[in-house]
Each structure stands twice: as structure tokens, then as C-alpha cells.
Amino acid sequence: MVLREALLLAHGGGWPPRAATPGPDGGRDDAGDGEPGPKWTPSTVAERFPTPEAVSALDAGRLAAAAWHWEPATARRVLRAWVAAGDGPDARWPQLLAPLATPAPPTHLADHHALAARTLPDAPVGLVAGYVGDPVLGAWAAEALRAAGQPLEADAVPRSSRLLWQLDRLHALAVPAWRASFTRYAETADADGPEPTDGPDSSKDPGRALELQALYDAFQQTAADWPGGTDVLTAELAHADPFTASHSLELLTDHPDQEIARPAALAHRECDRARSGPAPEAGGGGAGRRKAGKKARKRGGRR
């Protein structure tokens, strides 16, 4: 019962369901998915709130996907219990790491990578070392090994995985930067401030939110070391994960250095195309909402 209650609190409604299945009356049984007409039965309740025995019998892929939605402490505890239920102390680790090395759906990439970052430090070092060259999991495996004091070759991690790792790092900074920008805009909506001067020196504007400055600094540091520099990095971020990259790139479109702002704007437009498909017709509401959001962000970041 304790585990069932923990899953209810962690997932906000129970265990993530499988794909919709025919209900007793022949209709679709989408209980718990937020769609009209959920049909709760003893079998669906057991599915959504499994016993510890049922959790230990789950396949690793479904377990990892479910753990995207849980609080970190809950996910770590349940995954450890699942591993411990195997035939030996390390027998189930290969099964668990395999889905972590599989690309997640675009809408869950950030959750997937966060789960990998929390899970890999608990895995056997020898097994983690085998994933350093993985195009998805490599950078997270390398971080876990460095934390364990293990030596690594400088070019051991594939570029594709390093890109995903840098994207997650920038996204982690973009979230508080967005909050700070809108908070400042709300506090100073009627105040006018001087426009920053283009160029590298103005990237340290003392009136800018600290959270936004942290994002700027991290991006500039990454771009300085990235093959091809800013233009290549922004384009590759948008291509790798437009859903996640759009948050960082939109903030970077207001960077005072136009050598950063221009390619960021181009890459952000690519994110919009990837996420939304064809652009809306003239007169639609989408463009207006984007302009309003940008105005708020610019005021919030510059005051």
C-alpha cells in the first residue's frame, strides 16, 4: 500500500497506462489519461497502482518510461528495488541501462536524460564504462565515471551525446532565466530602460537578471569550444531536440552580441517549424502571442 500511495503522489494519478485498450463495452478504455469517460475497473486500478510484486515483474522499458514522471527520490528508490529483485545484485542492470540508451520521444527527452543522470551513478562502473561511446548515453556515462574517479579519453564521448548533454545544461539554466525575466517584467512593466549596446562587452549588463546572465555565460563558454562555433552549435541544438532547445534559443535571440543573437534567432525559427509544422496564416493569434511574450522577456531581462 505504501508503494501504491507513493506512485499516486509521484505520478499525480497512478501508474502511466499502456496504450488504450478496448473496454468492457468494446470502446476504448483510456482511464486516467484525461480523456472523457474514464472506465475504472479492478484490472485498471491494479494496472495504475501496482503492488511491489507487480513492479518487480515489469519490463525495464516500461519502468524507465514511468520513472520520467516521478520525483527523483521516488524514482531512485523504485529502480533500486527493481534491480534488487533480479537473480543477482547486478543481473538486471544491463536490462535497465538499455532503455536509457534508447532515444526517448521528443516531448520527454529532458525527463529521459534527467533519469539517466540520476540512475547511472548507482550502476556498476564496468557496465557504465561500456556506454561512454554510446551516441545517446555517452556523456552521462562519462560524467558518472568522472564522479567515480575513473580516467577517460578526451574524445571518448560521441559528439551527438555531448550535444544532448550541453542542451540539457543550457535548458537547466533557461528555466530559471525565464522565471526571472517574467518576474522582473511584472515588477517594472511601466518602466523604461536604456537599450544595451551591441557587442561582447554589453553581455555583462549589470541590470540583467542573474539567471539570464548565467545562461549567456554558459552558452558563450560552450560555443567557444564547439567545432564551428556559435552558428553550428545553435543549428545543431535546434536539430537535436527542438522542443527543449527552443527555450534556450529564444532567450538567446535577445543577446546583445548579434553574432550570437542572429544565429539563435534562425535556430529558434527552425524549432518553431519542427514543433508547429507550417506557419499560421496572416492574422492568426499565434504570432501575436509570440510577440507579446518576447516583449515581456526583453523588458524582464534588461531591467
Side-chain angles (χ1 to χ4, degrees):
M1 286 301 297
V2 173
L3 180 58
R4 291 189 180 205
E5 292 173 4
L7 292 175
L8 172 61
L9 293 173
H11 187 64
W15 190 267
R18 290 190 174 89
T21 55
D25 57 358
R28 305 296 284 181
D29 186 358
D30 298 314
D33 288 339
E35 297 184 5
K39 302 176 182 65
W40 288 92
T41 67
S43 62
T44 59
V45 170
E47 167 96 357
R48 297 300 296 276
F49 305 104
T51 63
E53 293 76 15
V55 171
S56 67
L58 283 172
D59 65 273
R62 185 157 183 254
L63 183 69
W68 294 339
H69 308 281
W70 300 342
E71 292 293 329
T74 300
R76 192 173 190 185
R77 183 172 63 253
V78 174
L79 293 181
R80 280 181 169 182
W82 183 88
V83 169
D87 294 334
D90 298 335
R92 280 188 162 185
W93 274 112
Q95 301 173 47
L96 183 56
L97 294 188
L100 293 180
T102 303
T107 52
H108 288 292
L109 276 177
D111 295 327
H112 187 71
H113 297 154
L115 179 64
R118 295 193 300 265
T119 304
L120 284 171
D122 292 333
V125 170
L127 187 60
V128 174
Y131 279 92
V132 171
D134 187 86
V136 175
L137 202 56
W140 285 269
E143 286 299 306
L145 292 176
R146 289 190 187 100
Q150 299 295 315
L152 286 173
E153 296 290 336
D155 57 350
V157 179
R159 179 169 170 169
S160 60
S161 186
R162 287 191 289 117
L163 179 69
L164 293 173
W165 190 86
Q166 292 292 352
L167 175 56
D168 272 17
R169 176 172 170 255
L170 293 173
H171 182 67
L173 294 169
V175 172
W178 271 105
R179 292 193 187 112
S181 293
F182 280 110
T183 298
R184 288 198 173 201
Y185 171 64
E187 293 173 349
T188 62
D190 298 327
D192 293 323
E195 293 291 318
T197 305
D198 289 348
D201 291 340
S202 62
S203 68
K204 296 291 186 181
D205 180 357
R208 183 174 297 118
L210 294 178
E211 295 85 352
L212 184 59
Q213 187 63 56
L215 173 66
Y216 284 2
D217 291 345
F219 178 82
Q220 289 172 218
Q221 179 185 24
T222 302
D225 298 329
W226 199 258
T230 298
D231 290 6
V232 173
L233 176 60
T234 51
E236 290 186 350
L237 289 172
H239 182 264
D241 180 4
F243 290 88
T244 304
S246 63
H247 302 294
S248 301
L249 291 170
E250 187 169 0
L251 288 169
L252 290 168
T253 62
D254 286 332
H255 197 286
D257 185 349
Q258 290 303 302
E259 295 300 315
I260 293 176
R262 279 193 294 266
L266 290 173
H268 183 256
R269 284 198 287 273
E270 290 301 319
C271 290
D272 277 348
R273 293 190 188 100
R275 293 183 305 159
S276 306
E281 296 181 1
R289 285 193 296 271
R290 284 195 296 272
K291 289 180 181 179
K294 185 169 183 178
K295 182 177 179 181
R297 183 182 69 258
K298 291 175 75 172
R299 290 193 180 185
R302 292 175 178 174
R303 292 297 299 160

